[in-house]
């Protein structure tokens, strides 16, 4: 398991490096080096973050008991238009970090997905949007407006394609440091 991870989280800016040293995590942003006590971690949250078309992005957010937080993601931005998926590196470091946090603080909560209120709101808006689009298609067909019905159907397909993984993968649930949620980890391939 990897004890270090470096990635560039934004298209513009420098890389951030993470290194696990016993019960501490060293976070180096290039401008500032922070040392985080892993025993002070309150929550680790792993999520699916929709990226560009065809690009799956995953994020791990670590929140401390004092409210401070840091995140790292599975994408390494090389330029404004090019991002590399850090599949193996992200998987290995996330596993190592969760194990180190569980060892340093067995009470730390390991959670997959978005918070309940946010996940439920997203799911409700998605279902409502799909119902409104279905009603639009039905009305367009009743009026003989085949072009509008086709555009509505295209919008529904694209909407389902983009929103379904966000709702399915981000459903809130706990996990353990020994069994990270595989669906929230980039796939090798």
């Amino acid at each position: 398991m990897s004890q270090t991870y470096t990635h560039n989280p934004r298209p513009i800016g420098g890389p951030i490096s993470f290194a696990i040293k016993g019960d501490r995590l060293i976070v180096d942003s290039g401008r500032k080096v922070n040392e985080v006590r892993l025993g002070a971690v309150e929550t680790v949250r792993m999520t699916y973050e929709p990226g560009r078309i065809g690009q799956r992005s995953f994020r791990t957010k670590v929140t401390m008991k004092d409210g401070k937080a840091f995140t790292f993601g599975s994408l390494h931005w090389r330029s404004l238009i090019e991002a590399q998926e850090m599949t193996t590196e992200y998987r290995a470091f996330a596993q190592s970090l969760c194990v180190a946090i569980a060892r340093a603080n067995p009470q730390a909560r390991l959670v997959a997905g978005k918070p309940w209120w946010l996940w439920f709101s997203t799911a409700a808006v998605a279902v409502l949007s799909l119902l409104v689009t279905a009603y639009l298609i039905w009305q367009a067909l009743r009026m003989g407006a085949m072009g509008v019905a086709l555009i509505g159907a295209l919008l529904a397909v694209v909407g389902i394609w983009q929103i379904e993984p966000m709702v399915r993968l981000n459903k809130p649930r706990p996990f353990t440091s020994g069994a990270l949620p595989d669906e929230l980890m980039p796939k090798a391939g």
Side-chain angles (χ1 to χ4, degrees), residues 20-40:
I20 301 170
K21 305 275 188 197
D23 67 343
R24 305 225 181 249
L25 178 71
I26 310 302
V27 181
D28 183 356
S29 66
R31 295 183 309 263
K32 191 172 167 184
V33 176
N34 292 317
E35 190 170 296
V36 177
R37 287 185 326 104
L38 296 178

Side-chain angles (χ1 to χ4, degrees), residues 18 24 31 33 39 42 46-47 50 83 90 110 113 123 131 136 145 159 163 170 175 181:
F18 301 90
R24 305 225 181 249
R31 295 183 309 263
V33 176
E42 182 176 40
M46 299 182 84
T47 58
Y90 179 83
L110 305 177
L131 291 174
L136 168 80
I163 295 172
N170 282 328
F175 67 90

Side-chain angles (χ1 to χ4, degrees), residues 79-130:
S79 68
L80 285 172
I81 57 172
E82 183 185 5
Q84 172 189 359
E85 292 185 35
M86 303 287 286
T87 305
T88 306
E89 300 89 345
Y90 179 83
R91 288 180 77 91
F93 184 73
Q95 179 70 53
S96 295
L97 183 61
C98 287
V99 167
I101 289 170
R103 192 176 321 123
N105 180 8
Q107 286 79 36
R109 293 179 338 132
L110 305 177
V111 184
K114 299 284 187 178
W116 273 104
W117 67 270
L118 185 57
W119 177 80
F120 183 77
S121 300
T122 303
V125 168
V127 168
L128 183 61
S129 297
L130 188 57

Side-chain angles (χ1 to χ4, degrees), residues 46-176:
M46 299 182 84
T47 58
Y48 165 71
E49 303 291 332
R52 303 179 315 188
I53 291 179
Q55 195 114 44
R56 296 172 57 93
S57 177
F58 301 92
R59 185 169 297 147
T60 299
K61 180 178 182 180
V62 178
T63 306
M64 313 305 287
K65 291 177 183 173
D66 65 2
K68 293 180 182 176
F70 65 89
T71 62
F72 62 95
S74 64
L75 290 182
H76 174 76
W77 288 90
R78 293 179 169 195
S79 68
L80 285 172
I81 57 172
E82 183 185 5
Q84 172 189 359
E85 292 185 35
M86 303 287 286
T87 305
T88 306
E89 300 89 345
Y90 179 83
R91 288 180 77 91
F93 184 73
Q95 179 70 53
S96 295
L97 183 61
C98 287
V99 167
I101 289 170
R103 192 176 321 123
N105 180 8
Q107 286 79 36
R109 293 179 338 132
L110 305 177
V111 184
K114 299 284 187 178
W116 273 104
W117 67 270
L118 185 57
W119 177 80
F120 183 77
S121 300
T122 303
V125 168
V127 168
L128 183 61
S129 297
L130 188 57
L131 291 174
V132 168
T133 305
Y135 180 73
L136 168 80
I137 294 168
W138 178 64
Q139 287 295 331
L141 290 173
R142 279 190 48 217
M143 293 181 195
M146 190 57 88
V148 173
L150 288 173
I151 290 172
L154 179 64
L155 287 173
V157 168
V158 169
I160 290 169
W161 174 56
Q162 290 293 306
I163 295 172
E164 182 274 332
M166 196 167 45
V167 172
R168 178 177 45 85
L169 296 175
N170 282 328
K171 182 177 181 184
R173 61 212 177 272
F175 67 90
T176 64

